[in-house]
Amino acid sequence: MAKNVLLVDDSSTMRKIISRSLRQAGLEFGDIFEASDGAEALDVLEKESVDIVLSDINMPNMNGIEFLREKASRDAIKDIPVFMISTETGDDIIGEAKSLGAVGALKKPFTPDKVNEVLGPLM
Amino acid sequence: MSNFDGVTEQLIDSTIEIFTGMVMMEVAPTGQVMNRMNPLKDSITGMVGLAGIHKGLLAVHLPKAVATAITSNFLGIEVDAITEDVEDAIGEIANMLGGNLKSILSDKGKDIQLSLPSTISGDEYNFASQADVDTLILEFKAPEGEFYVEVELEA
């Protein structure tokens, strides 16, 4: 069954690019939900049926690390996998994200081929 | 030792990677390297700040024609004026360039912090730092015109 995806990025342009890249990568997915920061993402996760989250790190209001930390404290949503898509790829930041439950990371910029390679196994 | 030892070539590669891989636009460096921008006309500038072990900023200066072409490629719609979509798209270009610059300057993550991207635009404006900084400005050519990637790092 196709998975529902939540895209979390403060840039509406980047959310469109990621959505387009998922299609260009030939990945099958169900509904796509969008949020512009971690707080909005938590609201969507509480209300909608989301199977995987693709999240930026550097965002206003609630960044990707704070989002992971808050999500991990909520039983109803803590097991939904989160994959980071960000310009932030330093070992210590990605290490912190993974310690908070992130299942992987993809560096911006990316190509549809790279999206297929890293997200294909999760979709 | 210059702040920019080893940075120039990697910044050129990273700019080409972003434009060809994500904007789907062929760009190339013209070879012109400057340390001061001329007044910008009918342009938009996207920028991110750097704090931590390196302090400064990365800016990308684009004439309207290049900026709207980038946004059209990103969104798949025709854009011919500097709108919120253009500001968002150019902010994201600056964000990706800033992220790559951060990786060039340090392979860790937390010793340099990036600000959120911002943009300025107008019919004519100057982009000049008041601080004591080393400045590197690289000129690139896109199909719609020349644009500039600028790095300022505190000396």
Side-chain angles (χ1 to χ4, degrees):
Chain A
M1 190 171 143
K3 294 188 174 179
N4 295 337
V5 180
L6 170 59
L7 305 179
V8 190
D9 198 305
D10 54 315
S11 165
S12 61
T13 301
M14 186 51 64
R15 296 197 300 270
K16 290 187 177 76
I17 291 169
I18 295 170
S19 178
R20 185 183 67 198
S21 295
L22 291 173
R23 288 194 300 275
Q24 289 175 334
L27 298 175
E28 284 190 32
F29 50 86
D31 292 332
I32 290 191
F33 302 97
E34 296 189 14
S36 62
D37 60 37
E40 274 188 27
L42 291 167
D43 286 344
V44 174
L45 290 179
E46 297 281 4
K47 291 174 187 163
E48 306 290 350
S49 173
V50 173
D51 299 300
I52 184 166
V53 181
L54 308 180
S55 177
D56 190 13
I57 293 177
N58 195 13
M59 296 181 288
N61 303 326
M62 180 184 284
N63 68 32
I65 297 295
E66 294 164 337
F67 163 65
L68 285 167
R69 189 173 289 118
E70 179 60 28
K71 174 181 158 292
S73 72
R74 300 188 186 188
D75 285 343
I77 59 174
K78 68 179 182 183
D79 293 328
I80 299 171
V82 180
F83 196 96
M84 313 313 290
I85 300 183
S86 179
T87 59
E88 297 277 4
T89 54
D91 291 343
D92 47 3
I93 290 183
I94 297 305
E96 183 176 12
K98 288 184 175 176
S99 75
L100 291 167
V103 295
L106 174 64
K107 183 180 188 305
K108 299 176 189 173
F110 51 78
T111 61
D113 285 347
K114 191 68 180 175
V115 169
N116 191 335
E117 178 188 326
V118 300
L119 289 178
L122 297 170
M123 304 290 278
Chain B
M1 189 172 101
S2 162
N3 260 324
F4 300 118
D5 286 345
V7 169
T8 305
E9 287 304 315
Q10 292 184 76
L11 194 59
I12 289 171
D13 290 346
S14 137
T15 303
I16 293 171
E17 179 191 15
I18 289 167
F19 276 80
T20 57
M22 292 202 72
V23 184
M24 308 302 173
M25 180 182 285
E26 295 297 324
V27 303
T30 65
Q32 185 167 356
V33 180
M34 307 179 300
N35 58 19
R36 185 175 176 82
M37 278 304 299
N38 294 322
L40 291 148
K41 293 184 179 175
D42 206 13
S43 295
I44 179 168
T45 294
M47 64 195 127
V48 293
L50 284 78
I53 61 168
H54 289 282
K55 296 179 179 62
L57 66 82
L58 179 138
V60 55
H61 310 289
L62 303 130
K64 186 177 85 173
V66 179
T68 53
I70 288 169
T71 310
S72 294
N73 283 17
F74 267 160
L75 302 181
I77 57 172
E78 282 301 313
V79 179
D80 58 11
I82 293 182
T83 60
E84 279 186 20
D85 283 339
V86 176
E87 292 170 353
D88 187 69
I90 301 312
E92 195 55 35
I93 294 280
N95 190 39
M96 287 189 281
L97 282 166
N100 282 7
L101 175 64
K102 179 177 166 177
S103 300
I104 292 167
L105 295 172
S106 169
D107 58 3
K108 295 186 172 62
K110 290 185 175 175
D111 50 8
I112 300 174
Q113 297 87 44
L114 283 183
S115 73
L116 294 168
S118 58
T119 59
I120 54 173
S121 60
D123 295 337
E124 183 166 353
Y125 57 94
N126 286 299
F127 191 90
S129 174
Q130 304 291 317
D132 181 17
V133 294
D134 291 333
T135 302
L136 171 70
I137 301 170
L138 302 172
E139 185 184 65
F140 290 83
K141 183 166 181 54
E144 289 76 13
E146 283 78 35
F147 68 94
Y148 303 88
V149 175
E150 174 171 0
V151 179
E152 293 183 358
L153 293 176
E154 278 189 16

